Amino acid sequence: MGKFRSSVRIVMTASLVCAHPIAPARADTQLPAPYVSRALDAVLMPIDGKVRRAFNLSPKADGVYVVSVQPGGVAAKNDIRPGDVISRVKGKDVVKPIDLDTAVYYWIKHGTTDFVFDGYRGQTIYHPRSSITLALFDAAIDLATIATWGSVSYSGFSYSSYYSEYSVSITESYSSSETTIETTASSESYSSEAVSASEETTSFEQEEASEKVESEESAESEEAEQQAQSDDHDDKDDGDKDDDKDDGDKDDDGGDDKPDDGGDNDGDGGGDEGDGGSPDAYR
């Protein structure tokens, strides 16, 4: 990351700083300072009570709030949108925005480039997947363009005012985050925590996958059993119909015998059935 420091384009002049003084006169100043994520090419905001109220988030929402995303950046290409909440990455809780970058950087340095984030979109849990290489992570972000990025649109919140409010701190935090990320991710204590969190997540995902397979197999077995019962019921109905048909044949035979007997009893002495049934027999 040392080479990256010299390549960062920070287009901030003294006149720009003077043009946007920090004036705590608006409601926006009550919100936490933004952070530019190297991993996602997005502006993130730590979630606290003020953020939950300002953006009508769930009281249980935690992690970071996606304020804006760079067009064509990592977040934009992986369906991470302004207004999303990200709470974990590879099982590691995200409390501050820099926690997300640190976790991603740590795993990139250990050969992982595919990431699944845990988060929310509105009231729906979702898990956006992202492919983040070291080259993408180290790519320079032109801070002068952040004011034009696609941002969250919410009643009472002005992204342009929010950006202007914190334009200086955005520059400072972006410059200092590089060293902080590298130092934290290189420590043994962080490595131990990251590996432990990842193993727990992997174990949980395996259990979920196993339960899903068992559930699908149970559903298939139940469906097969229901189909078998349905087939047995159909066979029984067919058998009843055959029995009814046989009974009908017997009834027909009985009906044929009765007129024959009547013909014989009329005293024709076994004469032809035609004679027994003729009008002359009843004269």
Side-chain angles (χ1 to χ4, degrees):
M1 291 178 70
K3 294 181 180 180
F4 171 64
R5 185 180 291 105
S6 60
S7 65
V8 177
R9 293 177 55 197
I10 303 178
V11 188
M12 290 291 178
T13 63
S15 60
L16 180 59
V17 173
C18 294
H20 300 287
I22 298 178
R26 295 184 316 276
D28 292 350
T29 59
Q30 298 178 359
L31 297 173
Y35 169 90
V36 180
S37 171
R38 299 171 183 274
L40 297 181
D41 302 326
V43 173
L44 309 178
M45 181 191 298
I47 294 176
D48 60 11
K50 295 176 182 178
V51 174
R52 294 187 187 98
R53 289 190 295 272
F55 298 101
N56 196 29
L57 301 180
S58 166
K60 296 182 179 179
D62 57 2
V64 295
Y65 187 70
V66 181
V67 181
S68 66
V69 298
Q70 180 184 36
V74 172
K77 289 182 177 180
N78 291 278
D79 194 34
I80 296 176
R81 310 173 189 172
D84 288 347
V85 172
I86 298 177
S87 55
R88 268 172 292 280
V89 54
K90 288 191 72 66
K92 196 85 168 61
D93 289 339
V94 175
V95 179
K96 304 182 298 296
I98 198 171
D99 294 342
L100 186 151
D101 280 0
T102 304
V104 170
Y105 179 72
Y106 171 84
W107 286 109
I108 288 177
K109 297 293 285 186
H110 286 77
T112 297
T113 56
D114 294 325
F115 296 89
V116 179
F117 299 94
D118 297 332
Y120 298 86
R121 174 168 292 164
Q123 301 299 319
T124 304
I125 296 174
Y126 86 130
H127 303 283
R129 295 176 177 272
S130 301
S131 178
I132 309 173
T133 63
L134 186 59
L136 288 173
F137 191 95
D138 281 346
I141 295 177
D142 185 354
L143 301 182
T145 66
I146 294 178
T148 65
W149 289 3
S151 62
V152 64
S153 176
Y154 206 82
S155 176
F157 174 76
S158 169
Y159 176 66
S160 60
S161 296
Y162 179 69
Y163 169 77
S164 297
E165 174 79 23
Y166 289 107
S167 59
V168 175
S169 63
I170 284 176
T171 304
E172 294 174 348
S173 65
Y174 184 72
S175 299
S176 62
S177 64
E178 179 184 7
T179 301
T180 303
I181 290 169
E182 190 167 16
T183 301
T184 304
S186 300
S187 67
E188 293 184 2
S189 60
Y190 184 87
S191 177
S192 177
E193 292 175 1
V195 172
S196 177
S198 177
E199 289 176 347
E200 289 179 3
T201 300
T202 301
S203 177
F204 178 72
E205 290 175 346
Q206 289 175 343
E207 290 179 3
E208 277 192 327
S210 178
E211 290 176 358
K212 182 178 180 181
V213 171
E214 291 178 359
S215 177
E216 291 175 349
E217 291 177 347
S218 177
E220 291 176 357
S221 176
E222 183 177 350
E223 182 179 354
E225 184 177 351
Q226 291 176 349
Q227 184 61 44
Q229 292 176 352
S230 177
D231 293 341
D232 291 342
H233 182 71
D234 292 342
D235 292 342
K236 183 178 180 181
D237 288 344
D238 292 340
D240 292 342
K241 291 178 181 179
D242 291 340
D243 291 342
D244 291 343
K245 184 176 180 181
D246 293 341
D247 292 342
D249 292 342
K250 292 178 181 178
D251 292 341
D252 290 341
D253 293 341
D256 292 341
D257 292 341
K258 186 174 182 180
D260 291 342
D261 294 341
D264 292 340
N265 292 334
D266 286 339
D268 290 339
D272 294 337
E273 293 181 6
D275 293 340
S278 67
D280 293 339
Y282 298 97
R283 290 178 181 176

